[in-house]
Amino acid sequence: MTGGEFGSALAFAAFAFVSIIVAAKAHTPAYAFHAYLFAAASVAAVFKIVDRYYSRPAELPPLTIDGKPNYNYGPIKFATVAGVVWGLAGFLVGLWAALELAFPVLNFDLPWFSFGRIRPLHTSAVIFAFGGNVLIGTSFYVVQRTCRARLAGDLSPWFVVLGYNLFIVIAGTGYLLGITQSKEYAEPEWYADLWLTVVWVVYLLVFLGTIMRRTEPHIYVANWFYLAFILTIAVLHLGNNLAIPVSIFSPKSYIVWAGVQDAMVQWWYGHNAVGFFLTAGFLAIMYYFIPKRAERPIYSYRLSIIHFWALIFLYIWAGPHHLHYTALPDWTQTLGMTFSIMLWMPSWGGMINGIMTLSGAWDKLRTDPVLRMMVVSVAFYGMATFEGPLMSVKAVNSLSHYTDWTIGHVHSGALGWVAFISFGAVYCLVPWLWNRKELYSLKLVNWHFWISTIGIVLYISAMWVSGILQGLMWRAYTNLGFLEYSFIETVEAMHPFYVIRALGGALFIAGTLIMVWNLWKTVYGSDPALSIEQPAMQPAE
């Protein structure tokens, strides 16, 4: 047994023991439930490590076989499947939340299904469960292939993907049970944050360790973006979630920041979760999978360098634009607005680099719906990164803030950019990981693309119109200086747009279900022509 196996089994056994003690003395049943979940996961980890030790060969998997890298695809397969499953679940919860806004009776007067609980469940499931698994899976694939080296660590990659998904389960069930620290995109309480910190540090070490053992001297541009995403999210997570627990037996904690400082730190985190989790990480996917699918080199390597460093430097300052017309000092608001406008340049530099990679291969858009989906995602990225700086301008923000316009903007980026580039990456990965020549059906990919695109257009158009109408109604005054509309009148005016949004979300989910069926048939289809024949082993000469 290796030191890593023995140490991991011992650590998980100790963690299971502590978790059982915490569960026995927990202040609330919900916290006890989470402690038992940690205990069960730890016990399962111990059994799996020991069982793996007895079933594996005496020697660990070699780094190379016949001079070629022996890539580790197991954790990547798990993360890919988990990403698809969590994505579908997150989209369904989002549809439910949208329907609740149109038809409030759908919360059934139950606390677990109230909008205030399922809304963070939706955002975390889509951003962190779906997006996070796609990022971890693709980063482990890309760093191995571009470095021509096996993933660093034996158990560590598995700890990252399984530990991250345990965090997702703890966070999601916590929302439904009412455990939250009420910070946007950072709702999990202190104990879940601590667990994620451990997982994320191991993730960084695995990624860096793979780069350090590379046999390819050059570090490919996608790895810059993955590394920026991993490092910056770590800093953001630690800074925003600094908290003092009431007790080890209580889920409650108090954030060390207070008042306007807490708001500033929260939106420094919140906007850069968008900037580095939902932008830098998925730009890494763009920089690998679009050139790979198009069979063309990146349009401009020089532009990728400028685009990278400008994005990294500017994005981190843009958070205050979420706090216009609040108690935040005016100079800070203006600083955030200024850097947001400057972000147009690096953001569009990335969009141009992605789209122009198709130079000389534009005809593939007619025949390859996977490539079309990824290129359209880059177009959505360009649109969303034009709209974001526009909405950060104070004069525009005075109309758009707190309205559905913001929801439309977020979803043009989340569905059009993040989801579509993720779908494209998954469509590429599944045949590669499961040794298939191609997908089960490109026609189904085409159907997925068009149905989901129509759904996105319905969704964001409804929210744009709804948001601008909201803003205009809220600021309308009579000749006597009184508000012209009561708040309930503005809510009533939103109803048809909320129905249209739910319809758009339903179409997007229909496209996702088509993808799930296509991927299932790709992996488990009975057509032998889809499989790549493995060469027969020859006796050594």
Side-chain angles (χ1 to χ4, degrees):
M1 181 174 281
T2 65
E5 288 173 326
F6 180 76
S8 298
L10 196 62
F12 279 120
F15 189 48
F17 180 71
V18 171
S19 298
I20 291 171
I21 294 174
V22 170
K25 296 189 174 185
H27 291 183
T28 66
Y31 186 46
F33 170 69
H34 277 173
Y36 282 126
L37 273 182
F38 273 120
S42 299
V43 171
V46 172
F47 276 107
K48 187 61 183 174
I49 291 169
V50 173
D51 178 68
R52 181 178 179 272
Y53 163 67
Y54 280 111
S55 61
R56 70 170 172 80
E59 297 293 329
L60 291 177
L63 298 181
T64 60
I65 298 176
D66 296 331
K68 296 181 179 180
N70 179 27
Y71 298 125
N72 183 3
Y73 288 155
I76 304 170
K77 288 183 177 182
F78 183 92
T80 303
V81 173
V84 173
V85 171
W86 284 122
L88 185 57
F91 302 150
L92 286 169
V93 175
L95 176 60
W96 190 353
L99 287 169
E100 276 194 11
L101 288 179
F103 309 103
V105 70
L106 291 176
N107 65 20
F108 306 118
D109 287 331
L110 295 172
W112 311 287
F113 303 140
S114 64
F115 183 83
R117 292 192 183 184
I118 69 169
R119 188 265 175 182
L121 179 67
H122 161 63
T123 54
S124 289
V126 172
I127 296 171
F128 298 116
F130 168 60
N133 272 289
V134 169
L135 286 172
I136 291 172
T138 56
S139 65
F140 280 172
Y141 183 86
V142 171
V143 75
Q144 288 186 94
R145 302 292 297 199
T146 56
C147 292
R148 292 179 52 79
R150 182 179 174 86
L151 210 56
D154 181 35
L155 293 176
S156 299
W158 280 108
F159 174 75
V160 172
V161 295
L162 294 174
Y164 185 77
N165 280 279
L166 175 60
F167 163 76
I168 296 298
V169 171
I170 294 293
T173 54
Y175 301 155
L176 295 179
L177 294 170
I179 298 177
T180 175
Q181 62 180 5
S182 303
K183 292 172 78 74
E184 182 76 352
Y185 308 134
E187 289 92 350
E189 268 289 0
W190 64 272
Y191 56 96
D193 288 336
L194 279 176
W195 175 254
L196 180 61
T197 302
V198 174
V199 171
W200 208 259
V201 168
V202 176
Y203 181 24
L204 173 63
L205 293 175
V206 170
F207 195 86
L208 280 176
T210 308
I211 290 177
M212 290 172 67
R213 65 161 53 157
R214 70 189 186 276
T215 57
E216 178 67 36
H218 180 74
I219 300 177
Y220 184 62
V221 60
N223 294 323
W224 310 349
F225 282 91
Y226 278 128
L227 199 53
F229 139 69
I230 297 169
L231 278 171
T232 312
I233 291 300
V235 174
L236 296 168
H237 174 73
L238 292 173
N240 188 46
N241 291 291
L242 287 175
I244 302 172
V246 171
S247 162
I248 191 175
F249 304 113
S250 171
K252 178 64 181 170
S253 66
Y254 290 96
I255 299 293
V256 299
W257 316 110
V260 73
Q261 286 81 13
D262 186 31
M264 179 65 249
V265 172
Q266 160 58 33
W267 283 110
W268 164 76
Y269 165 90
H271 192 73
N272 287 295
V274 174
F276 288 88
F277 200 98
L278 298 178
T279 301
F282 290 93
L283 283 170
I285 294 176
M286 179 197 82
Y287 270 114
Y288 182 84
F289 286 91
I290 287 184
K292 187 77 173 176
R293 190 77 185 186
E295 298 179 321
R296 301 288 300 169
I298 292 174
Y299 172 67
S300 171
Y301 201 77
R302 181 177 298 174
L303 180 58
S304 72
I305 297 171
I306 299 170
H307 156 54
F308 174 79
W309 287 110
L311 193 81
I312 297 309
F313 175 73
L314 295 176
Y315 231 123
I316 206 76
W317 299 92
H321 75 224
H322 287 264
L323 298 168
H324 284 328
Y325 307 107
T326 67
L328 196 71
D330 189 65
W331 70 266
T332 316
Q333 300 176 33
T334 304
L335 181 75
M337 179 185 76
T338 303
F339 275 91
S340 300
I341 295 169
M342 292 166 67
L343 269 170
W344 261 327
M345 295 178 287
S347 298
W348 277 39
M351 177 195 67
I352 292 167
N353 222 5
I355 290 179
M356 291 305 292
T357 296
L358 269 74
S359 297
W362 291 105
D363 59 297
K364 294 190 177 191
L365 292 180
R366 289 186 289 108
T367 57
D368 188 354
V370 175
L371 185 61
R372 186 191 311 140
M373 182 173 279
M374 290 194 283
V375 170
V376 168
S377 79
V378 178
F380 269 108
Y381 169 68
M383 180 181 70
T385 52
F386 173 84
E387 187 182 23
L390 176 69
M391 295 172 71
S392 76
V393 176
K394 286 185 178 181
V396 179
N397 196 265
S398 66
L399 175 67
S400 71
H401 205 35
Y402 305 121
T403 73
D404 290 334
W405 186 355
T406 304
I407 311 303
H409 163 64
V410 166
H411 283 80
S412 69
L415 301 179
W417 159 237
V418 172
F420 265 21
I421 196 71
S422 299
F423 292 156
V426 169
Y427 276 131
C428 291
L429 273 179
V430 168
W432 297 344
L433 294 174
W434 275 272
N435 293 317
R436 300 294 186 265
K437 291 182 180 178
E438 57 188 15
L439 288 164
Y440 171 70
S441 171
L442 285 180
K443 284 186 178 180
L444 288 179
V445 180
N446 206 36
W447 276 99
H448 176 196
F449 171 78
W450 286 111
I451 290 173
S452 292
T453 300
I454 293 169
I456 294 171
V457 171
L458 282 175
Y459 190 115
I460 61 180
S461 299
M463 290 298 95
W464 285 337
V465 176
S466 167
I468 294 171
L469 180 61
Q470 269 180 323
L472 292 174
M473 290 180 75
W474 289 347
R475 61 163 54 173
Y477 291 90
T478 65
N479 292 334
L480 298 176
F482 296 105
L483 285 173
E484 187 168 353
Y485 302 100
S486 67
F487 184 76
I488 194 63
E489 286 178 302
T490 67
V491 174
E492 187 179 9
M494 298 305 107
H495 183 263
F497 303 106
Y498 287 171
V499 173
I500 295 171
R501 167 170 68 175
L503 175 61
L507 288 173
F508 191 83
I509 291 171
T512 307
L513 288 170
I514 291 172
M515 179 188 74
V516 171
W517 171 251
N518 199 2
L519 296 177
W520 177 270
K521 293 294 287 183
T522 300
V523 175
Y524 296 106
S526 57
D527 186 358
L530 287 174
S531 300
I532 297 176
E533 293 184 5
Q534 298 296 328
M537 300 298 290
Q538 299 295 326
E541 295 180 357

